[in-house]
Amino acid sequence: MKLPVYLDHSATTPMDPKVLEAMLPYFLENFGNASSRSHVYGWTAEEAVDIAREQVADLIGAHATEIVFTSGATEAVNLAIKGTFENYAEKGNHIITCVTEHRAVLDCCEWIERNGGKVTYLPVDEAGLIDLDALENAVTAETILISILYANNEIGVIQPVVDISQIARKHNVLFFTDATQAAGKVPIDVEEDGIDILSLSAHKLYGPKGIGALYVRRKNPKVSISSQIHGGGHEKNMRSGTLNVPGIVGFGKACELCLENLSQENEALTKLRDQLERELLKIDGTKINGSIKNRLPHITNIAFEKVNGDNLLLEICKEVAVSRGSACSSVTSKPSHVLNAMKISDELALSSFRFSLGRFTTLSEIEYSYSTLSEIVEKHRNIVKLSVVKI
Ligand SMILES: Cc1ncc(COP(=O)(O)O)c(C=O)c1O
């Protein structure tokens, strides 16, 4: 078994070897620019991009023409929020989001505020869910966009996406959801779910890093978004720049594999995650953060009481790779804004860890993880007890 056991798939996933295999020809022999219209090198690249666009669209029930390739979800989120804000400026300048969003969304919302817009940040309850009445009450005549995460990257809790979209439709407001963690893990259908704009990223679903996409609805309603990267007019003028053909091919293949195995993988991950959770909960003073009713199959966030989170993490990381908060903030010992929003104390938030499993996680890795963790936590509790006795 390779140590530390990798249980940080929400930060990034290893690439599926089948994805790498699909990408390889597009680095060397098929290196053409997908925008070169005058020769076979370009046509070959364009054809590969067209296939991948279909594969990405299929994963979320969209049409290929509704997919805009970006460098990842962060860029897709920027395009969604800033691009809507600019394009719908005549209609209004108000956006509704939620306090537990990923930093990509929160930072874009702060940018909106600095640029003359208004943002309402909805709170969440102790389960991590928004209140639908509060959402509806927050809508004003100026509201142009509701931006609510599909599933949270720290606790895996899935927001009531269909209810949110119904509120958005009722008030003629666009609904954007950052589905970076949910795509490829749970079934998503932009038509059935009533989603107008959606972001996703290849490296969270066994594809390569540096490639993502934004889904932009083409009818009922047709959504228009102002480009944030200007240049040669690629991606129907929404995102200029030479397309990352190998990345796009890999992204497409990764989406195809996720779709093919969605229900079996969901079931297998749920089983492993539940076993990990059951065993970890046998340790005294542990609890799950967030709702367990509607959540992603591969994430659990566990709080360990009465231990020093920093010290615990230093020891755990040699055995099991987990994280505290999102990858962008896991090195800091600042409590997670998501856990804080759920009224979890700073102390407990700092000794809470996200375990996220993946396609290649094995039962023996899970068994190793919980037995090692139980020993480490017990040892740390004893250290804390001893230091209290000394004082
Ligand atoms: C919910 C969510 N949104 C956006 C991102 C950013 O994705 P990317 O790394 O593709 O920019 C992440 C990555 O952690 C995420 O979890």
Side-chain angles (χ1 to χ4, degrees):
M1 187 189 304
K2 188 175 172 210
L3 290 182
V5 172
Y6 188 72
L7 294 185
D8 202 14
H9 291 81
S10 295
T12 195
T13 51
M15 235 169 48
D16 191 304
K18 291 188 191 127
V19 169
L20 178 64
E21 203 183 307
M23 290 170 72
L24 284 176
Y26 294 90
F27 286 106
L28 294 173
E29 59 266 44
N30 300 332
F31 60 86
N33 184 328
S35 304
S36 298
R37 296 272 151 76
S38 52
H39 50 71
V40 70
Y41 296 93
W43 303 331
T44 308
E46 191 186 19
E47 200 187 335
V49 169
D50 287 346
I51 294 171
R53 212 184 282 285
E54 296 266 357
Q55 291 165 320
V56 175
D58 284 350
L59 181 68
I60 55 168
H63 191 270
T65 55
E66 298 174 308
I67 301 298
V68 178
F69 287 115
T70 63
S71 63
T74 300
E75 190 196 321
V77 167
N78 272 262
L79 178 57
I81 296 179
K82 296 177 185 173
T84 311
F85 178 67
E86 246 185 89
N87 202 68
Y88 292 87
E90 276 186 16
K91 184 179 179 240
N93 67 351
H94 178 229
I95 290 177
I96 302 172
T97 189
C98 141
V99 288
T100 53
E101 293 286 311
H102 188 269
R103 279 267 38 115
V105 168
L106 294 175
D107 285 5
C108 284
C109 287
E110 284 170 20
W111 182 92
I112 297 290
E113 289 176 299
R114 286 196 301 278
N115 284 275
K118 287 184 239 137
V119 181
T120 299
Y121 298 88
L122 297 173
V124 293
D125 62 16
E126 286 173 16
L129 293 163
I130 61 161
D131 179 81
L132 292 167
D133 291 333
L135 170 64
E136 186 149 19
N137 290 336
V139 178
T140 71
E142 295 288 297
T143 310
I144 50 170
L145 186 70
I146 293 174
S147 170
I148 302 286
L149 200 64
Y150 199 108
N152 187 274
N153 48 301
E154 294 189 29
I155 51 172
V157 169
I158 299 175
Q159 295 290 353
V161 170
V162 175
D163 298 319
I164 296 170
S165 75
Q166 280 167 0
I167 293 173
R169 283 283 149 91
K170 183 170 153 197
H171 294 277
N172 199 20
V173 170
L174 296 177
F175 173 36
F176 162 55
T177 188
D178 177 11
T180 305
Q181 293 290 341
K185 313 290 166 25
V186 288
I188 296 181
D189 187 310
V190 287
E191 288 305 326
E192 278 175 22
D193 296 346
I195 296 163
D196 297 313
I197 314 168
L198 176 148
S199 53
L200 70 165
S201 182
H203 77 100
K204 307 286 186 182
L205 43 82
Y206 313 96
K209 293 172 183 60
I211 185 76
L214 190 68
Y215 154 78
V216 184
R217 178 177 283 282
R218 67 184 169 142
K219 58 176 192 217
N220 304 323
K222 174 171 171 32
V223 178
S224 301
I225 286 188
S226 301
S227 169
Q228 299 302 304
I229 297 185
H230 308 278
H234 307 73
E235 298 298 89
K236 296 218 225 85
N237 256 329
M238 273 188 265
R239 200 276 189 182
S240 287
T242 300
L243 294 183
N244 168 4
V245 179
I248 290 171
V249 168
F251 188 13
K253 184 70 188 174
C255 289
E256 183 190 72
L257 293 172
C258 283
L259 190 58
E260 261 172 31
N261 302 313
L262 198 68
S263 58
Q264 302 94 295
E265 208 159 283
N266 187 309
E267 214 176 291
L269 283 170
T270 305
K271 217 167 142 196
L272 280 182
R273 190 269 319 270
D274 288 353
Q275 176 160 353
L276 174 69
E277 219 167 55
R278 259 195 319 276
E279 294 297 327
L280 290 178
L281 290 177
K282 287 183 187 161
I283 306 173
D284 254 4
T286 49
K287 72 172 192 75
I288 301 169
N289 293 321
S291 164
I292 57 164
K293 276 203 204 116
N294 199 12
R295 57 179 174 153
L296 296 178
H298 65 299
I299 301 183
T300 183
N301 191 306
I302 309 264
F304 297 88
E305 283 172 2
K306 300 194 191 83
V307 285
N308 178 306
D310 287 337
N311 294 344
L312 191 62
L313 186 59
L314 273 178
E315 196 150 346
I316 292 177
C317 73
K318 295 177 214 147
E319 307 289 346
V320 189
V322 293
S323 73
R324 202 160 47 171
S326 68
C328 337
S329 57
S330 55
V331 280
T332 61
S333 32
K334 247 174 81 186
S336 139
H337 72 284
V338 173
L339 300 184
N340 274 171
M342 292 157 59
K343 313 251 175 348
I344 292 170
S345 70
D346 284 359
E347 196 194 350
L348 201 56
L350 285 170
S351 58
S352 292
F353 298 95
R354 173 185 72 185
F355 300 81
S356 48
L357 289 59
R359 178 172 295 164
F360 306 109
T361 306
T362 62
L363 177 60
S364 23
E365 286 179 322
I366 292 299
E367 287 168 348
Y368 180 84
S369 301
Y370 58 66
S371 55
T372 313
L373 254 126
S374 314
E375 283 168 26
I376 296 177
V377 173
E378 180 151 358
K379 191 174 115 192
H380 276 261
R381 291 255 170 80
N382 287 337
I383 295 173
V384 174
K385 263 191 224 149
L386 278 175
S387 56
V388 171
V389 171
K390 271 191 198 149
I391 291 166

